[in-house]
Structure formats: C-alpha cells, structure tokens
Amino acid sequence: MDNRSETCCFTGHRDVPAYMRPALARELEEAVRGMAARGKTRFAAGGAVGFDTMAAETVLRLRRELGLELVLILPCADQARRFSPSQAAVYSRIKAAADEVVILHESYLPGCMQERNRALVDSSSACIAFCRRATGGTAYTLRYARSRGLEIYLLGGHL
C-alpha cells in the first residue's frame, strides 16, 4: 500500500471478554469515525479473530457512509485453518467484502504473524489498538507502532 498517510491499522487481542464487547464496539466506532474525520479512509486489519474481526466489521458497516476502504493484510493463505466453523465463516465473509487483500505467505511459517503485524504498521500513519497486556503480539505491535511514530488511539481501558 502506498497510501500511508490515509491509512490506519488495527491491533488488538484475539480474546475480547464478552462483558467488554458492547462498550468496546462503541469506542471502536467512535475511533474509526474520528480517524475518518481526520482523513484516514483506508483501514488495515490482520484477519485474526477477536479485535481484528470487530474492527473489520466496523469498517465494513461504516464503509458506504464514510467512504472507507478495508484492507486485510494476512500472514498466510491458510490463516483460518484453526478457526472454529463460525469464526471461519465470518472470516470468509470479511475477506470477500474487503477492498484489498494482501497475503504475505501461501502457508504458515514461523514469524509470519509478526511479519503481518509489522506490515500493518509500516503501511499506516495511525493505529487503533486494544491492548490490555504488556506482553504478546498486540503489545509488540503497539510498541513497534510507537517506535515508527504512528498516531495511537487506545481503546478499552488499556494498560
């Protein structure tokens, strides 16, 4: 993607507690609307379950109203191989509806998830994050985004 100034990526945990989902969904919509008002029209997600799915669905829901594009940057073509049937169905629907799909590898390789996370950040000038732990992939991606100078919007009672 060469539209870095217009692109906002998402990073967040795969496990979003049920009790947090309604408030997080409202915060997420507010964040996307705020980014759109500041000229972010491309939103990049990594295709994981949990927060990535919530983010992608939010962009798709607001796409026509706000003139948004959804870009999926996927670590591998077989990313959904361990998803439950319902998760895989949602993933397939989001993938089919996306404006652009970038697949980094044909099959899973060690390190491909981290490569996907760096690609999300490297393609963006802003990041909407749901991070409640100081370790793991989301925390790594958030630290990387900060090191690259991205505008950060933290959701969900972050650390």
Side-chain angles (χ1 to χ4, degrees):
M1 291 184 307
D2 56 352
N3 311 59
R4 191 170 184 269
S5 66
E6 300 167 5
T7 304
C8 176
C9 66
F10 297 102
T11 187
H13 303 301
R14 288 183 178 88
D15 56 321
V16 179
Y19 76 91
M20 291 188 78
R21 284 183 175 270
L24 184 59
R26 286 189 299 275
E27 263 193 288
L28 182 55
E29 179 173 333
E30 179 182 305
V32 169
R33 286 182 179 280
M35 289 290 179
R38 291 195 309 283
K40 307 299 182 212
T41 56
R42 292 173 57 86
F43 288 83
V49 299
F51 184 74
D52 274 6
T53 297
M54 289 179 70
E57 288 180 321
T58 299
V59 171
L60 290 173
R61 188 168 35 80
L62 298 174
R63 175 166 54 186
R64 184 168 292 154
E65 175 189 344
L66 300 176
L68 307 180
E69 294 179 28
L70 176 64
V71 178
L72 295 180
I73 300 179
L74 308 178
C76 51
D78 59 351
Q79 177 173 347
R81 72 193 180 290
R82 293 188 178 170
F83 290 5
S84 72
S86 64
Q87 291 168 336
V90 171
Y91 173 84
S92 293
R93 181 181 51 76
I94 290 169
K95 190 174 167 186
D99 296 285
E100 183 180 346
V101 178
V102 177
I103 299 172
L104 300 178
H105 299 281
E106 281 305 308
S107 59
Y108 176 84
L109 298 169
C112 72
M113 300 295 180
Q114 293 82 1
E115 183 181 347
R116 180 262 329 263
N117 295 342
R118 288 188 302 272
L120 285 164
V121 169
D122 291 341
S123 68
S124 303
S125 60
C127 179
I128 297 173
F130 171 61
C131 186
R132 297 181 49 84
R133 294 186 291 273
T135 59
T138 298
Y140 166 84
T141 306
L142 187 54
R143 283 191 302 274
Y144 184 67
R146 284 183 172 136
S147 78
R148 303 285 293 170
L150 271 65
E151 173 187 356
I152 308 290
Y153 194 117
L154 293 169
L155 307 177
H158 53 278
L159 295 174

